Amino acid sequence: RLIAGNNRFIAVASDESRVSSSLTGETWTSVDLPLTANWTDGVWGGDKFVLIADDTDIVLSSTDGETWTAGSIPNDATADSTLDSTIAQWTRVSYGNGRYVAVSANDLATATSTDGENWTRHDSVLPEQAWNIADLEFGAGRFVLVDTTGLTAYSFDGITWYSGNAIVGTVEKMKYSQGIFFALTNTA
């Protein structure tokens, strides 16, 4: 995963305990992270880089890409559930409206944070469906979530979610630019 922010690039790999940073994209410097994890996504926003993983509740944040601070997503608060955040698969994170939003498809949960370190978990808030999350993007004042099968949902705060219109094709990625959400599919 490659993330741009704070006049630098950050390269993150799954199952690694380090990231690499570069000011130019030519010369790279590696730094150690506080732990090894399956880092699934990262974002620059609110003056911080934030990394999430699908095999831990630990969230890492950094202002410069060199010094990293660990935070965590709280355990599942649903009384009838035995799941905790170490089982939740935090697959995507985005930033907008002054907050970070992370999503976990396997328990329909989201987590929000205003600083990238202290998180609030929101259980069973995604629309009831079998999600295989392709991407999460922020634009036009909303977070938009898309599934690989084209299912979509949107939220203005990362907590209350609404089902959106389906996209035709197998979605691989989504981006927001110049007022438009673009879904990249592998269907002709």
Side-chain angles (χ1 to χ4, degrees), residues 82-159:
T82 59
L83 292 176
D84 65 26
S85 289
T86 60
I87 297 170
Q89 296 173 340
W90 300 102
T91 55
R92 295 288 177 255
V93 64
S94 189
Y95 180 83
N97 282 346
R99 69 177 56 201
Y100 300 91
V101 174
V103 293
S104 170
N106 67 324
D107 53 2
L108 304 175
T110 66
T112 56
S113 173
T114 57
D115 64 7
E117 296 174 26
N118 301 292
W119 292 80
T120 302
R121 182 185 170 115
H122 312 283
D123 293 315
S124 301
V125 295
L126 295 177
E128 288 276 340
Q129 53 200 32
W131 287 95
N132 185 18
I133 297 172
D135 220 337
L136 172 69
E137 282 288 321
F138 179 82
R142 68 189 65 202
F143 296 92
V144 176
L145 181 65
V146 65
D147 179 89
T148 57
T149 64
L151 299 172
T152 65
Y154 65 95
S155 173
F156 300 102
D157 59 8
I159 302 167

Side-chain angles (χ1 to χ4, degrees), residues 64-82:
D64 60 10
E66 296 176 11
T67 303
W68 292 85
T69 302
S72 66
I73 296 173
N75 288 343
D76 190 344
T78 305
D80 62 352
S81 177
T82 59

Side-chain angles (χ1 to χ4, degrees), residues 32-93:
D32 290 333
L33 294 174
L35 73 148
T36 299
N38 187 33
W39 304 110
T40 54
D41 202 12
V43 68
W44 166 261
D47 295 329
K48 284 186 184 176
F49 294 99
V50 170
L51 305 179
I52 61 165
D54 68 3
D55 59 353
T56 181
D57 63 344
I58 301 298
V59 179
L60 298 181
S61 63
S62 173
T63 57
D64 60 10
E66 296 176 11
T67 303
W68 292 85
T69 302
S72 66
I73 296 173
N75 288 343
D76 190 344
T78 305
D80 62 352
S81 177
T82 59
L83 292 176
D84 65 26
S85 289
T86 60
I87 297 170
Q89 296 173 340
W90 300 102
T91 55
R92 295 288 177 255
V93 64

